[in-house]
Amino acid sequence: MSQFSHINQSGEANMVDVSVKAETAREARAEAYVDMSAQTLQLILSGSHHKGDVFATARIAGIQAAKKTWDLIPLCHPLLLSKVEVHIEAIESESCVRIESVCKLSGKTGVEMEALTAASVAALTIYDMCKAVQKDMVIRTTRLLEKSGGKSGHFKVQE
C-alpha cells in the first residue's frame, strides 16, 4: 500500500517537496453532477432564470477556482496552469447537469486537485444561482476521471 505523501515521518501534515521532480506534461479531468427538478433545469435552459446565464457563470467560476486551488486547499502548490476548461451539459432525461473540467500544465506536480476544484465550484455555483427556486438540489459524484503525467503515470476511472 502506498503512503500518504502529505504526512511527514512525525505524522504531521506538510507540503510535499517537488523541487527534485522532473517537469512533465500533466493533465487531469474531473466531473460533478447537480440533480434538480425538471422545472429548475428548464428555467436554466430557457434562459429565463432571473440571475442570468447560469451555465456561463458556473463555467467562469470553475475556471477561476482551478486557478485558486492552492489558496483553498492548504497543502497544494501554486501552479502555472496552461489550460482550464469547464464543460457543462444538461441531461434532461435525468433532470441533472453534468460538469466536466480539464486542467493542463507542464510542471513538477499534478493538476488533479485543480480539476476537482473546478468541477466542484462550478457545481456549487449552479446551486447558488438556483437555490432561490429549489433548495433540495443535490451535488453528487464529484470524482477524478483521468490523469496523466508524472511518476505515477496514467490513471483512468473504470466505467
Side-chain angles (χ1 to χ4, degrees):
M1 179 182 219
S2 297
Q3 299 293 319
F4 289 115
S5 60
H6 289 79
I7 305 295
N8 67 17
Q9 292 177 345
S10 302
E12 302 163 332
N14 71 319
M15 183 184 259
V16 174
D17 181 1
V18 297
S19 61
V20 298
K21 291 174 103 179
E23 284 201 9
T24 61
R26 296 166 184 265
E27 181 174 340
R29 290 186 314 114
E31 71 179 354
Y33 288 83
V34 183
D35 295 331
M36 61 188 64
S37 70
Q39 294 84 4
T40 301
L41 185 56
Q42 283 309 308
L43 187 66
I44 294 168
L45 294 176
S46 69
S48 57
H49 193 288
H50 71 283
K51 287 190 175 181
D53 189 336
V54 173
F55 288 177
T57 304
R59 187 175 303 106
I60 292 167
I63 292 167
Q64 186 65 28
K67 295 178 349 181
K68 299 291 278 179
T69 299
W70 66 275
D71 217 8
L72 299 168
I73 309 295
L75 301 177
C76 282
H77 294 85
L79 301 179
L80 294 173
L81 296 167
S82 57
K83 182 151 190 79
V84 179
E85 292 179 3
V86 176
H87 303 280
I88 301 174
E89 68 174 312
I91 305 173
E92 292 185 74
S93 62
E94 297 177 28
S95 258
C96 71
V97 173
R98 179 178 181 269
I99 301 149
E100 183 173 330
S101 63
V102 179
C103 293
K104 295 180 181 182
L105 62 68
S106 179
K108 296 181 176 204
T109 190
V111 291
E112 297 93 333
M113 292 309 300
E114 287 71 16
L116 286 161
T117 300
S120 298
V121 171
L124 287 167
T125 301
I126 290 170
Y127 184 95
D128 179 54
M129 292 187 73
C130 297
K131 70 183 184 281
V133 295
Q134 184 184 353
K135 291 183 178 24
D136 65 347
M137 291 173 286
V138 175
I139 297 171
R140 64 169 169 91
T141 318
T142 301
R143 65 181 180 161
L144 180 68
L145 294 172
E146 187 172 11
K147 64 85 69 194
S148 61
K151 184 174 71 172
S152 64
H154 187 256
F155 162 83
K156 187 171 184 177
V157 71
Q158 300 300 311
E159 297 290 334

